[in-house]
Short mmCIF file of all heavy atoms in Angstrom, two decimals:
data_model
loop_
_atom_site.label_atom_id
_atom_site.label_comp_id
_atom_site.label_asym_id
_atom_site.label_seq_id
_atom_site.Cartn_x
_atom_site.Cartn_y
_atom_site.Cartn_z
N MET A 118 -117.26 -106.92 -63.89
CA MET A 118 -117.48 -108.36 -63.73
C MET A 118 -117.23 -108.80 -62.30
O MET A 118 -117.04 -109.98 -62.04
CB MET A 118 -116.57 -109.14 -64.68
CG MET A 118 -116.78 -108.81 -66.16
SD MET A 118 -118.43 -109.26 -66.71
CE MET A 118 -118.32 -111.05 -66.57
N ALA A 119 -117.30 -107.85 -61.36
CA ALA A 119 -116.93 -108.20 -60.00
C ALA A 119 -117.87 -109.22 -59.40
O ALA A 119 -117.47 -110.02 -58.57
CB ALA A 119 -116.91 -106.94 -59.12
N GLY A 120 -119.10 -109.24 -59.80
CA GLY A 120 -120.06 -110.16 -59.19
C GLY A 120 -120.37 -111.36 -60.03
O GLY A 120 -121.39 -112.01 -59.82
N VAL A 121 -119.55 -111.71 -61.00
CA VAL A 121 -119.87 -112.81 -61.89
C VAL A 121 -119.85 -114.14 -61.16
O VAL A 121 -120.63 -115.03 -61.44
CB VAL A 121 -118.90 -112.83 -63.09
CG1 VAL A 121 -119.05 -114.11 -63.89
CG2 VAL A 121 -119.11 -111.61 -63.94
N ASP A 122 -118.95 -114.30 -60.19
CA ASP A 122 -118.81 -115.57 -59.50
C ASP A 122 -119.90 -115.78 -58.46
O ASP A 122 -119.85 -116.73 -57.71
CB ASP A 122 -117.43 -115.66 -58.83
CG ASP A 122 -116.33 -115.66 -59.88
OD1 ASP A 122 -116.62 -116.10 -61.02
OD2 ASP A 122 -115.21 -115.22 -59.56
N GLY A 123 -120.87 -114.87 -58.41
CA GLY A 123 -121.97 -115.05 -57.47
C GLY A 123 -121.81 -114.28 -56.19
O GLY A 123 -122.65 -114.35 -55.30
N GLU A 124 -120.68 -113.59 -56.00
CA GLU A 124 -120.49 -112.83 -54.77
C GLU A 124 -121.07 -111.44 -54.95
O GLU A 124 -120.94 -110.82 -55.99
CB GLU A 124 -118.99 -112.73 -54.45
CG GLU A 124 -118.33 -114.09 -54.24
CD GLU A 124 -116.85 -113.93 -53.95
OE1 GLU A 124 -116.39 -112.79 -53.91
OE2 GLU A 124 -116.18 -114.94 -53.77
N MET A 125 -121.77 -110.95 -53.90
CA MET A 125 -122.34 -109.62 -53.94
C MET A 125 -121.25 -108.59 -53.70
O MET A 125 -120.42 -108.74 -52.81
CB MET A 125 -123.42 -109.47 -52.84
CG MET A 125 -124.63 -110.38 -53.06
SD MET A 125 -125.50 -109.96 -54.57
CE MET A 125 -126.05 -108.31 -54.17
N PRO A 126 -121.23 -107.51 -54.49
CA PRO A 126 -120.23 -106.48 -54.29
C PRO A 126 -120.41 -105.82 -52.93
O PRO A 126 -121.52 -105.64 -52.45
CB PRO A 126 -120.50 -105.48 -55.43
CG PRO A 126 -121.31 -106.24 -56.43
CD PRO A 126 -122.06 -107.24 -55.66
N THR A 127 -119.28 -105.48 -52.32
CA THR A 127 -119.32 -104.83 -51.01
C THR A 127 -119.52 -103.34 -51.19
O THR A 127 -119.42 -102.80 -52.28
CB THR A 127 -118.00 -105.08 -50.25
OG1 THR A 127 -116.94 -104.51 -51.02
CG2 THR A 127 -117.78 -106.58 -50.07
N ILE A 128 -119.80 -102.68 -50.05
CA ILE A 128 -120.00 -101.23 -50.08
C ILE A 128 -118.74 -100.53 -50.52
O ILE A 128 -118.76 -99.57 -51.28
CB ILE A 128 -120.45 -100.75 -48.70
CG1 ILE A 128 -121.80 -101.37 -48.34
CG2 ILE A 128 -120.53 -99.23 -48.65
CD1 ILE A 128 -122.30 -100.98 -46.97
N SER A 129 -117.56 -101.04 -50.04
CA SER A 129 -116.30 -100.40 -50.43
C SER A 129 -116.07 -100.53 -51.92
O SER A 129 -115.56 -99.61 -52.56
CB SER A 129 -115.14 -101.04 -49.64
OG SER A 129 -115.09 -102.43 -49.92
N ASN A 130 -116.43 -101.70 -52.48
CA ASN A 130 -116.29 -101.85 -53.92
C ASN A 130 -117.17 -100.86 -54.67
O ASN A 130 -116.78 -100.29 -55.68
CB ASN A 130 -116.65 -103.29 -54.34
CG ASN A 130 -115.61 -104.29 -53.89
OD1 ASN A 130 -114.47 -103.90 -53.63
ND2 ASN A 130 -116.00 -105.56 -53.80
N ASN A 131 -118.36 -100.66 -54.14
CA ASN A 131 -119.25 -99.69 -54.78
C ASN A 131 -118.68 -98.29 -54.71
O ASN A 131 -118.78 -97.52 -55.66
CB ASN A 131 -120.63 -99.71 -54.12
CG ASN A 131 -121.43 -100.94 -54.52
OD1 ASN A 131 -121.16 -101.52 -55.57
ND2 ASN A 131 -122.40 -101.33 -53.69
N ASN A 132 -118.11 -97.94 -53.56
CA ASN A 132 -117.49 -96.62 -53.43
C ASN A 132 -116.33 -96.47 -54.40
O ASN A 132 -116.15 -95.40 -55.00
CB ASN A 132 -117.02 -96.39 -52.00
CG ASN A 132 -118.21 -96.27 -51.03
OD1 ASN A 132 -119.30 -95.91 -51.46
ND2 ASN A 132 -117.97 -96.57 -49.75
N ASN A 133 -115.50 -97.54 -54.55
CA ASN A 133 -114.39 -97.47 -55.50
C ASN A 133 -114.90 -97.29 -56.91
O ASN A 133 -114.34 -96.51 -57.69
CB ASN A 133 -113.55 -98.76 -55.40
CG ASN A 133 -112.84 -98.86 -54.05
OD1 ASN A 133 -112.58 -97.84 -53.42
ND2 ASN A 133 -112.52 -100.08 -53.63
N ARG A 134 -115.97 -98.01 -57.24
CA ARG A 134 -116.53 -97.86 -58.59
C ARG A 134 -117.02 -96.45 -58.81
O ARG A 134 -116.86 -95.88 -59.90
CB ARG A 134 -117.69 -98.84 -58.78
CG ARG A 134 -117.27 -100.29 -58.92
CD ARG A 134 -118.49 -101.17 -59.09
NE ARG A 134 -119.27 -100.74 -60.25
CZ ARG A 134 -120.51 -101.15 -60.49
NH1 ARG A 134 -121.11 -101.98 -59.64
NH2 ARG A 134 -121.15 -100.74 -61.56
N LEU A 135 -117.66 -95.86 -57.79
CA LEU A 135 -118.20 -94.50 -57.93
C LEU A 135 -117.07 -93.50 -58.12
O LEU A 135 -117.16 -92.58 -58.97
CB LEU A 135 -119.03 -94.14 -56.70
CG LEU A 135 -119.75 -92.79 -56.73
CD1 LEU A 135 -120.72 -92.75 -57.91
CD2 LEU A 135 -120.49 -92.54 -55.43
N GLN A 136 -115.93 -93.69 -57.34
CA GLN A 136 -114.80 -92.79 -57.50
C GLN A 136 -114.21 -92.93 -58.90
O GLN A 136 -113.89 -91.93 -59.55
CB GLN A 136 -113.74 -93.10 -56.44
CG GLN A 136 -114.19 -92.75 -55.02
CD GLN A 136 -113.16 -93.14 -53.99
OE1 GLN A 136 -112.10 -93.68 -54.36
NE2 GLN A 136 -113.43 -92.87 -52.72
N GLN A 137 -114.03 -94.18 -59.37
CA GLN A 137 -113.49 -94.37 -60.71
C GLN A 137 -114.42 -93.78 -61.76
O GLN A 137 -113.97 -93.21 -62.76
CB GLN A 137 -113.29 -95.87 -60.98
CG GLN A 137 -112.21 -96.50 -60.12
CD GLN A 137 -112.04 -97.97 -60.44
OE1 GLN A 137 -112.67 -98.48 -61.36
NE2 GLN A 137 -111.18 -98.66 -59.67
N HIS A 138 -115.72 -93.87 -61.51
CA HIS A 138 -116.68 -93.32 -62.47
C HIS A 138 -116.53 -91.80 -62.56
O HIS A 138 -116.52 -91.23 -63.66
CB HIS A 138 -118.10 -93.71 -62.03
CG HIS A 138 -119.17 -92.99 -62.79
ND1 HIS A 138 -119.31 -93.11 -64.15
CD2 HIS A 138 -120.15 -92.16 -62.37
CE1 HIS A 138 -120.33 -92.39 -64.55
NE2 HIS A 138 -120.86 -91.79 -63.48
#
Side-chain angles (χ1 to χ4, degrees):
M118 301 297 293
V121 170
D122 296 333
E124 299 179 1
M125 295 297 296
T127 61
I128 297 178
S129 59
N130 290 339
N131 285 337
N132 292 336
N133 293 334
R134 287 179 57 193
L135 184 60
Q136 292 177 1
Q137 293 181 5
H138 170 60

